[in-house]
Amino acid sequence: MRLEAITWERLGDLLAERLLDLKPADGIRWPRIAFDGAPAARPGDLAERVAEALRTRGHPSRVVDTHGFLRPASLRLEYGHHDVDAYYDGWFDTGALWREVFDPLEPGGDGRILPDLRDPVTDRATRSPYVPLAPGGFLLLHGPFLLRHWFPFDLTVHVLLSPPALRRRTPEADHWTLPAFERYVQETDPADAADVLVRADDPRHPAWGG
């Protein structure tokens, strides 16, 4: 795929315009968008930019971080604090994401989603109230490994870091997670699977295609 240099501001605007032209699956009233990427790639920053661009165009959205849906530490860390397979397969509560985020946006759903379930710092339930997403509003879900779970996205964006950039921008204390992202590339190839690819090796000068 040919990638073109762009600014983050322009990218947010172009993605918002693309979302406004999106035709979701039959019966879906709330388009569901993935912003996939390693934490070091900061896919949430792009999701927030797109949310702001949608807001200025008069369209509601809700940004949801999958780190608000971590499983309890007693389950995540059952095999130790640095178990790569557990991080890849078991840290994120995909069942809760289906139940609390995706199911309410299915045909016949009421559009009331749970923005988060567990505080990733305190490991306690957030007890956040459900929030309504107006019909036609966009779900902007961001986090790692999103393209391997068969979530029903209407558009997928992958924020790519090359292996050297990923290592450089990942805190040293989290380098133990890097093999999980290598596995993700081998098994899912998110750069090819995503509808939109954003390369962010240099955080000041992204490039995109899609």
Side-chain angles (χ1 to χ4, degrees):
M1 178 184 296
R2 180 180 177 84
L3 301 180
E4 299 180 357
I6 194 170
T7 65
W8 288 111
E9 293 79 4
R10 180 61 175 156
L11 179 57
D13 287 337
L14 289 178
L15 286 175
E17 294 292 344
R18 177 161 178 174
L19 295 189
L20 294 180
D21 291 334
L22 194 62
K23 305 298 182 185
D26 290 345
I28 297 296
R29 304 165 69 193
W30 300 274
R32 303 147 303 182
I33 316 303
F35 291 84
D36 176 62
R42 304 183 68 86
D45 289 357
L46 182 56
E48 293 287 356
R49 285 188 181 276
V50 173
E52 177 60 19
L54 288 170
R55 186 192 66 78
T56 62
R57 290 161 172 78
H59 291 268
S61 65
R62 175 64 63 172
V63 177
V64 175
D65 183 354
T66 59
H67 287 88
F69 288 85
L70 290 174
R71 300 174 75 200
S74 60
L75 298 177
R76 296 198 314 272
L77 308 179
E78 181 179 2
Y79 300 103
H81 285 72
H82 296 161
D83 188 280
V84 175
D85 290 337
Y87 177 63
Y88 187 66
D89 291 318
W91 271 42
F92 296 92
D93 193 340
T94 56
L97 283 166
W98 277 103
R99 182 178 65 252
E100 306 291 1
V101 178
F102 287 103
D103 285 353
L105 306 183
E106 287 292 305
D110 62 8
R112 297 174 67 251
I113 66 174
L114 193 65
D116 49 56
L117 185 64
R118 185 172 300 277
D119 187 311
V121 176
T122 66
D123 194 43
R124 295 178 178 177
T126 58
R127 304 189 185 279
S128 296
Y130 287 87
V131 294
L133 186 57
F138 295 85
L139 168 68
L140 309 178
L141 182 70
H142 66 89
F145 313 132
L146 290 181
L147 306 187
R148 62 178 295 260
H149 296 299
W150 299 100
F151 289 139
F153 293 116
D154 298 291
L155 186 81
T156 55
V157 180
H158 177 65
V159 185
L160 172 69
L161 294 179
S162 66
L166 178 60
R167 174 170 289 275
R168 183 173 65 251
R169 292 175 56 186
T170 298
E172 186 172 353
D174 295 329
H175 276 189
W176 66 271
T177 66
L178 296 178
F181 294 103
E182 294 175 8
R183 179 179 170 188
Y184 184 49
V185 169
Q186 294 168 1
E187 295 183 355
T188 305
D189 192 4
D192 184 65
D195 299 307
V196 176
L197 179 63
V198 178
R199 187 166 192 132
D201 282 7
D202 183 341
R204 300 165 299 175
H205 304 291
W208 85 306

